[in-house]
């Protein structure tokens, strides 16, 4: 009797038992894990570094909205060739910008990055609540930790783009839909509307929601009425944004993108024949498998085999919802990969399902070994350790990017026109006097007559086998300078000039970044066309 009493007393202090019986302790641990995750993100934070890529368009769109108070029409200029595909993220960001009182554009860039970092970190809480619908508290914590420490999500949160908000809204929507309370289920369609205006593929969430809603509640009159109410609320969220998109861009930003896929395939089949369909399927399938493997490394790879088995075992409406959700959201990823758009971001929406597989596997491990401390602490420590290790390897070298930005300021001062093959061109777009001295400023006003314009002369539709032929063309286009970094998109004629500059007397080196203290090597050459013509 005494031994049994001691066993039960010891069990009360086992970590898994404690967590499964105390929601308060669970949330304390989640806060600690969130704080650790936030610290890691802040450690890698690229302070005062301008955006490149997609974040550039979101930044300027949000900036313009915050200044003029409405969504601008068109939004095309030398720095952004088209408006963002959806208005949800820049609209949300513009609210934050409107409360800022700063004349430094880098402060706005930093706050955009900080916003995505915070959103990505706090998603640990809805990720935990979602996992808790499938397993006990302790294993749900491990599942949520796998999400918040996923290296690619940590890296993505530093970029200032849409995925953190998209994932947060998607997971909240799934939580509400799987609730036992019918009012919460209706509310899930409201959040699904917000989910859809952040990224257009979010519209696909209606497929699993609609199927599982009627599987769960059957086709009764009251069920249909509640579904109609849910859809009305969903449309109430997206239709105003659809109207704005049509007015400002000419397309709705939702169905226009989804419908474009089948139209694109049909047009390509008309032009190339039926064989092109096989090429699409082959490329899409191979890239889908390839990137599924990539996004599962390093945390999820060892957990997926058993976790996938457990997900399909003893299926109830919750598991079926997650399965259909995963299959549906493979469609936009397959489409992107079939067209050669190779990016892991298309599969981030599957991370909540992968995290369930982590929890399932750890739960099975505990059932086998019956050692709660090992089953909880060891996987949790392993997730954090390997995430930090992998992130330190894969996250971009922002110090190099910062040097590229600083060098771009010198390039802007010293040149009139440069070759477009220079890989730091995007940073030149942040180097004008208008943005540094008169911010906040409308995007359309950045390149007015008072600001020096840099023309990007390049090799489009031209094949150049030597630097002399290139410069003959460059002269006709008004090219005055070459900016070289030793690679220049892998074009050999530029690499030859970079390493053997003395062979070209018509190129006068006026700048060498290594001579002014930078580790990143960039050289600027002024072209002397008089010498060039005499030499040739």
């Amino acid at each position: 009797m005494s031994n049994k009493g001691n066993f039960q007393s010891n069990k009360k202090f086992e970590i898994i038992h404690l967590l499964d019986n105390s929601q308060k302790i669970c949330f304390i641990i989640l806060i600690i894990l969130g704080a650790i995750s936030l610290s890691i993100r802040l450690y890698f934070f690229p302070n005062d570094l301008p955006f490149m890529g997609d974040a550039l368009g979101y930044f300027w769109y949000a900036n313009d909205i915050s200044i003029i108070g409405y969504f601008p029409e068109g939004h095309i200029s030398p720095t952004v060739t088209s408006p963002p595909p959806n208005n949800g993220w820049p609209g949300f960001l513009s609210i934050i910008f409107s409360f800022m009182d700063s004349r430094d554009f880098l402060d706005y860039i930093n706050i955009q990055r900080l916003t995505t970092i915070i959103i990505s970190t706090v998603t640990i809480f809805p990720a935990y609540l979602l996992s808790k619908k499938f397993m006990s508290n302790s294993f749900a914590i491990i599942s949520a930790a796998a999400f918040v420490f996923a290296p690619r999500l940590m890296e993505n949160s530093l970029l200032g783009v849409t995925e953190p908000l998209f994932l947060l809204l998607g997971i909240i929507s799934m939580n509400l839909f799987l609730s036992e309370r019918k009012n919460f289920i209706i509310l899930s369609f409201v959040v699904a509307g917000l989910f859809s205006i952040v990224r257009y593929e979010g519209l696909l969430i209606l497929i699993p929601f609609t199927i599982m809603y009627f599987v769960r509640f059957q086709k009764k009159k009251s069920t249909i009425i509640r579904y109609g109410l849910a859809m009305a609320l969903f449309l109430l969220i997206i239709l105003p944004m659809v109207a704005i998109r049509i007015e400002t861009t000419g397309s709705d930003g939702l169905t226009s993108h989804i419908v474009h896929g089948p139209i694109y395939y049909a047009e390509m089949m008309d032009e190339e024949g039926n064989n092109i369909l096989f090429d699409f399927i082959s490329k899409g399938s191979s890239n889908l498998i390839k990137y599924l493997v990539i996004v599962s490394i390093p945390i999820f790879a060892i957990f997926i085999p058993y976790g996938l088995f457990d997900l399909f075992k003893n299926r109830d409406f919750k598991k079926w919802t997650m399965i259909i959700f995963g299959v549906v959201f493979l469609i936009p990823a397959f489409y992107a990969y079939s067209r050669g758009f190779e990016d892991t971001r298309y599969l981030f929406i599957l991370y909540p399902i992968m995290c369930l597989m982590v929890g399932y596997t750890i739960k099975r491990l505990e059932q086998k070994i019956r050692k709660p401390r090992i089953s909880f602490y060891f996987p949790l420590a392993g997730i954090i350790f390997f995430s930090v290790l992998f992130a330190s390897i894969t996250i971009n070298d922002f110090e190099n990017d910062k040097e590229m930005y600083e060098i771009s300021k010198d390039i802007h001062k010293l040149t009139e026109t440069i070759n477009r093959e220079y890989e730091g061109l995007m940073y030149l777009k942040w180097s004008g006097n208008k943005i540094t001295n008169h911010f906040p400023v409308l995007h359309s006003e950045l390149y007015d007559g008072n600001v020096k314009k840099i023309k990007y002369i390049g090799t489009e539709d031209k094949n150049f086998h030597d630097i002399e032929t290139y410069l003959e063309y460059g002269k006709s286009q008004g090219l005055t300078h070459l900016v070289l970094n030793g690679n220049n998109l892998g074009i050999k004629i530029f690499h030859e000039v970079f390493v053997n500059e003395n062979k070209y007397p018509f190129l006068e080196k006026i700048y060498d970044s290594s001579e002014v203290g930078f580790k990143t090597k960039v050289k600027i050459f002024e072209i002397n066309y008089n010498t060039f013509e005499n030499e040739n």
Side-chain angles (χ1 to χ4, degrees), residues 229-278:
L229 175 60
M231 283 300 299
L233 293 173
F234 176 83
L235 293 173
L236 192 63
I237 296 295
I238 69 167
L239 286 181
M241 196 62 76
V242 166
I244 291 172
R245 291 289 299 183
I246 292 174
E247 182 179 348
T248 57
T249 69
S251 64
D252 60 39
L254 291 169
T255 59
S256 57
H257 285 80
I258 292 176
V259 171
H260 178 71
I263 293 175
Y264 175 80
Y265 285 139
E267 290 176 347
M268 291 302 294
M269 287 177 65
D270 289 341
E271 293 179 11
E272 306 289 340
N274 291 333
N275 289 336
I276 194 67
L277 182 60
F278 175 79

Side-chain angles (χ1 to χ4, degrees), residues 152 286-301 304 344 347 351 354 390:
R152 286 182 177 80
S286 60
N287 282 332
L288 184 61
I289 294 171
K290 169 185 171 182
Y291 282 99
L292 278 171
V293 171
I294 290 175
V295 297
S296 68
I297 298 172
I299 296 178
F300 303 103
I304 285 179
T344 55
L347 296 173
Y351 270 137
M354 292 184 180
F390 196 79

Side-chain angles (χ1 to χ4, degrees), residues 484-533:
L484 308 180
N485 65 344
N487 183 26
N488 290 86
L489 306 180
I491 299 175
K492 292 181 180 179
I493 60 172
F494 294 125
H495 178 72
E496 175 66 21
V497 173
F498 188 86
V499 297
N500 296 300
E501 58 190 66
N502 294 329
K503 290 173 57 178
Y504 306 94
F506 45 83
L507 296 177
E508 178 187 353
K509 186 171 71 173
I510 61 172
Y511 179 87
D512 189 330
S513 62
S514 62
E515 295 176 357
V516 290
F518 292 111
K519 294 180 181 179
T520 304
K521 295 182 178 180
V522 175
K523 298 177 182 179
I524 302 176
F525 297 92
E526 185 172 2
I527 307 167
N528 188 325
Y529 283 108
N530 290 329
T531 304
F532 174 72
E533 290 172 354

Side-chain angles (χ1 to χ4, degrees), residues 172-419:
I172 291 174
S173 184
M174 292 295 294
N175 265 304
L176 294 169
F177 184 78
L178 296 177
S179 172
E180 298 297 328
R181 299 176 63 176
K182 293 181 180 179
N183 289 341
F184 281 7
I185 296 171
I186 293 175
L187 187 59
S188 72
F189 282 80
V190 175
V191 182
L194 299 172
F195 178 65
S196 300
I197 64 175
V198 172
R199 289 184 65 90
Y200 70 87
E201 61 264 37
L203 197 63
L204 296 174
I205 201 172
L206 288 179
I207 297 175
F209 276 16
T210 299
I211 292 172
M212 293 311 302
Y213 181 86
F214 286 105
V215 168
R216 185 176 176 185
F217 299 110
Q218 306 302 318
K219 293 183 179 179
K220 298 181 292 187
K221 183 178 179 180
S222 59
T223 300
I224 295 173
I225 291 174
R226 282 196 299 272
Y227 178 77
L229 175 60
M231 283 300 299
L233 293 173
F234 176 83
L235 293 173
L236 192 63
I237 296 295
I238 69 167
L239 286 181
M241 196 62 76
V242 166
I244 291 172
R245 291 289 299 183
I246 292 174
E247 182 179 348
T248 57
T249 69
S251 64
D252 60 39
L254 291 169
T255 59
S256 57
H257 285 80
I258 292 176
V259 171
H260 178 71
I263 293 175
Y264 175 80
Y265 285 139
E267 290 176 347
M268 291 302 294
M269 287 177 65
D270 289 341
E271 293 179 11
E272 306 289 340
N274 291 333
N275 289 336
I276 194 67
L277 182 60
F278 175 79
D279 292 339
F280 279 131
I281 294 173
S282 176
K283 183 186 293 185
S285 301
S286 60
N287 282 332
L288 184 61
I289 294 171
K290 169 185 171 182
Y291 282 99
L292 278 171
V293 171
I294 290 175
V295 297
S296 68
I297 298 172
I299 296 178
F300 303 103
I302 61 175
F303 298 108
I304 285 179
Y306 177 80
L308 194 62
F309 167 77
D310 208 333
L311 181 65
F312 280 88
K313 186 177 69 174
N314 301 323
R315 296 178 299 278
D316 57 10
F317 85 90
K318 294 179 181 178
K319 286 187 174 182
W320 270 119
T321 301
M322 299 304 291
I323 291 168
I324 298 173
F325 178 87
V327 171
V328 166
F329 277 92
L330 284 175
I331 296 172
F334 176 85
Y335 170 69
Y337 293 141
S338 72
R339 293 191 59 184
F341 303 143
E342 300 187 15
D343 196 320
T344 55
R345 290 188 294 170
Y346 301 116
L347 296 173
F348 286 174
I349 192 62
L350 300 182
Y351 270 137
I353 301 174
M354 292 184 180
C355 291
L356 291 180
M357 297 177 188
V358 174
Y360 283 140
T361 305
I362 301 302
K363 178 181 177 182
R364 181 60 176 168
L365 176 66
E366 161 56 17
Q367 291 172 346
K368 285 287 186 181
I369 67 174
R370 296 291 180 182
K371 294 184 177 180
R373 292 181 181 177
I374 294 177
S375 300
F376 183 81
Y377 291 120
F378 184 74
L380 195 59
I383 286 170
I384 296 173
F385 173 77
F386 285 107
S387 294
V388 174
L389 179 64
F390 196 79
S392 65
I393 295 172
T394 58
I395 289 180
N396 292 333
D397 182 7
F398 289 118
E399 289 305 314
N400 178 69
D401 291 338
K402 287 181 179 180
E403 287 201 347
M404 292 278 279
Y405 170 54
E406 293 300 322
I407 291 169
S408 74
K409 297 177 184 178
D410 294 335
I411 295 172
H412 190 273
K413 294 175 184 176
L414 296 171
T415 64
E416 292 293 336
T417 61
I418 71 170
N419 50 303

Side-chain angles (χ1 to χ4, degrees), residues 105-204:
F105 76 96
L106 288 170
D107 289 340
Y108 292 78
I109 285 175
N110 290 335
I111 201 68
Q112 181 170 334
R113 278 200 175 97
L114 186 61
T115 300
T116 51
I117 284 175
I118 292 172
I119 291 172
S120 181
T121 302
V122 300
T123 307
I124 190 174
F125 295 104
Y128 162 74
L129 294 174
L130 179 62
S131 299
K132 209 176 89 160
K133 296 182 183 298
F134 298 85
M135 57 196 71
S136 62
N137 294 354
S138 53
F139 302 114
I141 285 177
I142 296 176
S143 177
F147 181 89
V148 81
F149 286 103
R152 286 182 177 80
L153 294 187
M154 288 198 289
E155 180 180 11
N156 178 265
S157 69
L158 301 173
L159 303 180
V161 288
T162 59
E163 282 74 25
L165 183 59
F166 186 63
L167 287 169
L168 175 64
L169 292 172
I171 294 173
I172 291 174
S173 184
M174 292 295 294
N175 265 304
L176 294 169
F177 184 78
L178 296 177
S179 172
E180 298 297 328
R181 299 176 63 176
K182 293 181 180 179
N183 289 341
F184 281 7
I185 296 171
I186 293 175
L187 187 59
S188 72
F189 282 80
V190 175
V191 182
L194 299 172
F195 178 65
S196 300
I197 64 175
V198 172
R199 289 184 65 90
Y200 70 87
E201 61 264 37
L203 197 63
L204 296 174

